[in-house]
Amino acid sequence: MSDAYDLIVVGGGPGGYVAAIRASQLGMRTALVEREHLGGICLNWGCIPTKALLRASEINHLLHTLDAYGFAADNPRFDFQEVIKRSRQVATQLSGGVKHLLKKNRVTVVDGHGALAGPRTVHVTKDGRDVATLTAPHIILATGARARVLPGIEPDGRLIWTYREAMLPPVMPKSLLVIGSGAIGIEFASFYADMGAKVTVVEVMDRILPVEDEEISAFVHKAFIRQGMTVLTGATVKRVAKTAAGAAVTVEEKGGKVSEIAVEVVISAVGIVGNVENIGLEGTEVKVDRTHVVTDGLCRTGEPGVYAIGDLTGPPWLAHKASHEGVLCVEAITGKNEVHPIDVTRIPGCTYCRPQVASVGLTEAAARAKGHEVRVGRFPLIGNGKAIALGEPEGLIKTVFDASTGELLGAHMVGPEVTEMIQGYAIARTAELTEAELIHTVFPHPTLSEAMHESVLDAYGRVIHI
Ligand SMILES: Cc1cc2nc3c(=O)[nH]c(=O)nc-3n(C[C@H](O)[C@H](O)[C@H](O)COP(=O)(O)OP(=O)(O)OC[C@H]3O[C@@H](n4cnc5c(N)ncnc54)[C@H](O)[C@@H]3O)c2cc1C
């Protein structure tokens, strides 16, 4: 098979498949090369299956707190393999949906491993055999990323898991230790804790969820402690040794205290590295910086006609960032639409632990570090009628404004369904709204979103319900 296209996309994750569909909509003859599963990490091993798991742990938590609502359920229990099976079924359903969408949009899907092979050319192989040589004036690399490995603590799939094994456990572990407290580590910590495991989180930085606002990190830390988790910050895992019952994990805390923690399994969630190997970058002008392809605001690499999007290009490692870049990149190539380089301060980030965390824009510390004089609003969900009615009043909404212009610089939320609500503030950031429009916006009652309004009011000394 040898064929000429207008665009070749290498990698069928939320970056690649969205780019391919948009290109086809814009009239480009498009080929997509995918070596494993359409939908990429997100649909198969990331966003979607974890949310199916977290739905199960949320239900388990609810079943164990039913008395607060006047119900009784004797001895609620679950079939762990059914929980895992449902998560895999959800992933399979969505991956199948992507296949259908690509077909509907007349994108040619090529099954195999793609690599640049000279100007305008992608060579595709499968199990060592040649599959196709494709040519196009434009090539988008969307090969994604994989789990970073700590030297000496290499995942073996049995005692030390990456996110892949953590999604397919053979049995429900009674105890586990999570190394790393970014979104991925914290979601697994929350899932296993709510399913009944004894969970320890070890984070090398001085707080968990280190990219979030400090107050939000502190809020989640306290919530996790109340839930019975052990959270060690400023701590380093030195060694994982195999024992008869699982693992003995040596942890060194701030100040030099060394302890040994016995667990059944360890989840390593210490970051992400880009899939830059074996994609034909050698001999090209594509630059790689610490495992990520360097691009400009329109996703162009240093090699004419070669673009890169999504996790391959570095943080934030988020599916919606990958998809947005896919559309932006294709629209810039065709020149048919006005495009704006991506602004990371307008990309919301969500962590689906209990309580949920969501944010957009600058933290208070980052805003101050950038020289802004800030006004800060805070509203605790204990002052929100809907949160109390739901029985979930644990939460905080924090807003950060530029004191002189009133621009909303950042919003930081912890509490029920904040991952659904953050979009309100994301729109405010994109539209460059100030406190004036937000104050004059009417929020429906009773909703959790009223707390978003109250946080803005608080920043300007007008809060009503605290
Ligand atoms: C456990 C977990 C939970 C997550 N939860 C969320 C979340 O809730 N929200 C969120 O926004 N993000 C989440 N993410 C991150 C999200 O999955 C990624 O940001 C997203 O998948 C990146 O999309 P991508 O298209 O850049 O890459 P990927 O999704 O990694 O897709 C890349 C694709 O390229 C294929 N590929 C690689 N090399 C080649 C090659 N040479 N030839 C052909 N094909 C190739 C791969 O098989 C893969 O299908 C999560 C990640 C993990 C691991």
Side-chain angles (χ1 to χ4, degrees):
M1 183 170 142
S2 168
D3 227 338
Y5 292 87
D6 298 319
L7 173 72
I8 303 164
V9 182
V10 182
Y17 86 75
V18 169
I21 290 175
R22 186 69 189 123
S24 191
Q25 286 173 348
L26 290 170
M28 299 178 94
R29 213 167 156 244
T30 305
L32 174 83
V33 186
E34 170 54 51
R35 68 180 179 192
E36 193 185 353
H37 295 296
L38 290 171
I41 294 298
C42 174
L43 268 56
N44 296 285
W45 299 105
C47 327
I48 298 296
T50 50
K51 268 68 253 175
L53 293 176
L54 284 156
R55 174 74 172 144
S57 60
E58 187 183 291
I59 290 171
N60 195 43
H61 168 69
L62 190 61
L63 284 172
H64 285 85
T65 49
L66 280 180
D67 55 339
Y69 301 87
F71 290 84
D74 294 335
N75 188 21
R77 58 206 177 279
F78 53 82
D79 179 336
F80 195 52
Q81 285 316 316
E82 285 300 314
V83 169
I84 304 301
K85 196 167 125 195
R86 177 174 173 275
S87 162
R88 298 320 305 161
Q89 278 168 347
V90 170
T92 306
Q93 181 181 340
L94 280 153
S95 182
V98 171
K99 186 176 174 190
H100 167 76
L101 285 173
L102 290 166
K103 191 171 172 204
K104 186 179 137 202
N105 283 281
R106 298 175 308 281
V107 174
T108 303
V109 176
V110 184
D111 176 19
H113 176 99
L116 298 174
R120 304 158 62 108
T121 307
V122 170
H123 188 63
V124 185
T125 53
K126 176 100 183 161
D127 302 328
R129 292 193 321 275
D130 294 338
V131 172
T133 300
L134 313 172
T135 59
H138 305 286
I139 298 168
I140 298 179
L141 302 174
T143 54
R146 61 184 185 277
R148 189 161 82 90
V149 171
L150 282 181
I153 309 176
E154 289 83 7
D156 61 3
R158 288 181 300 120
L159 205 57
I160 307 178
W161 295 346
T162 66
Y163 55 82
R164 287 213 183 203
E165 291 84 24
M167 254 177 265
L168 286 175
V171 288
M172 167 72 201
K174 289 191 184 63
S175 60
L176 58 87
L177 182 142
V178 180
I179 313 175
S181 74
I184 293 174
I186 284 296
E187 287 187 3
F188 280 115
S190 193
F191 166 71
Y192 280 108
D194 272 346
M195 294 302 279
K198 170 91 191 91
V199 173
T200 302
V201 176
V202 179
E203 168 58 54
V204 70
M205 307 287 278
D206 62 0
R207 60 197 176 90
I208 59 167
L209 292 169
V211 301
E212 298 296 343
D213 189 275
E214 282 179 36
E215 280 179 60
I216 302 297
S217 294
F219 194 105
V220 178
H221 190 134
K222 279 193 200 139
F224 279 5
I225 298 294
R226 273 198 300 276
Q227 291 174 23
M229 273 191 228
T230 302
V231 180
L232 303 175
T233 53
T236 317
V237 170
K238 292 288 180 197
R239 188 163 169 260
V240 178
K242 192 171 168 25
T243 63
V249 185
T250 310
V251 178
E252 185 177 329
E253 291 179 57
K254 227 175 358 205
K257 182 185 161 204
V258 176
S259 52
E260 200 165 86
I261 302 170
V263 286
E264 286 185 11
V265 282
V266 172
I267 297 178
S268 177
V270 291
I272 293 292
V273 292
N275 291 328
V276 290
E277 304 84 0
N278 307 319
I279 54 172
L281 299 186
E282 306 74 18
T284 71
E285 292 300 317
V286 177
K287 302 263 172 311
V288 174
D289 179 21
R290 282 165 295 168
T291 83
H292 293 292
V293 168
V294 178
T295 53
D296 67 8
L298 299 179
C299 308
R300 291 176 293 209
T301 70
E303 179 77 14
V306 177
Y307 311 80
I309 59 172
D311 278 9
L312 178 66
T313 65
W317 297 286
L318 293 168
H320 41 285
K321 177 250 190 187
S323 300
H324 192 86
E325 282 184 337
V327 171
L328 182 159
C329 179
V330 165
E331 293 191 346
I333 290 170
T334 60
K336 285 189 183 167
N337 293 75
E338 193 191 343
V339 292
H340 303 274
I342 205 156
D343 173 354
V344 291
T345 72
R346 293 179 182 177
I347 303 175
C350 297
T351 306
Y352 299 75
C353 51
R354 184 174 67 80
Q356 292 184 358
V357 173
S359 60
V360 65
L362 300 178
T363 63
E364 182 183 345
R368 289 188 193 281
K370 276 181 170 267
H372 292 279
E373 198 184 312
V374 297
R375 289 187 81 126
V376 176
R378 292 179 186 82
F379 191 79
L381 287 186
I382 191 70
N384 176 272
K386 180 71 181 291
I388 294 170
L390 287 175
E392 297 188 62
E394 184 184 42
L396 172 73
I397 314 288
K398 176 172 176 180
T399 43
V400 181
F401 290 88
D402 181 284
S404 55
T405 65
E407 183 189 355
L408 176 70
L409 298 173
H412 310 278
M413 312 167 84
V414 51
E417 298 308 330
V418 295
T419 56
E420 294 293 337
M421 296 196 290
I422 192 65
Q423 195 54 19
Y425 286 137
I427 292 168
R429 289 270 319 133
T430 301
E432 297 178 4
L433 299 188
T434 67
E435 93 288 359
E437 294 86 10
L438 291 168
I439 285 174
H440 288 116
T441 300
V442 180
F443 285 72
H445 175 77
T447 59
L448 296 169
S449 68
E450 285 173 291
M452 298 168 68
H453 195 214
E454 293 268 25
S455 177
V456 176
L457 294 175
D458 183 55
Y460 287 85
R462 297 168 60 162
V463 68
I464 303 288
H465 290 99
I466 43 172

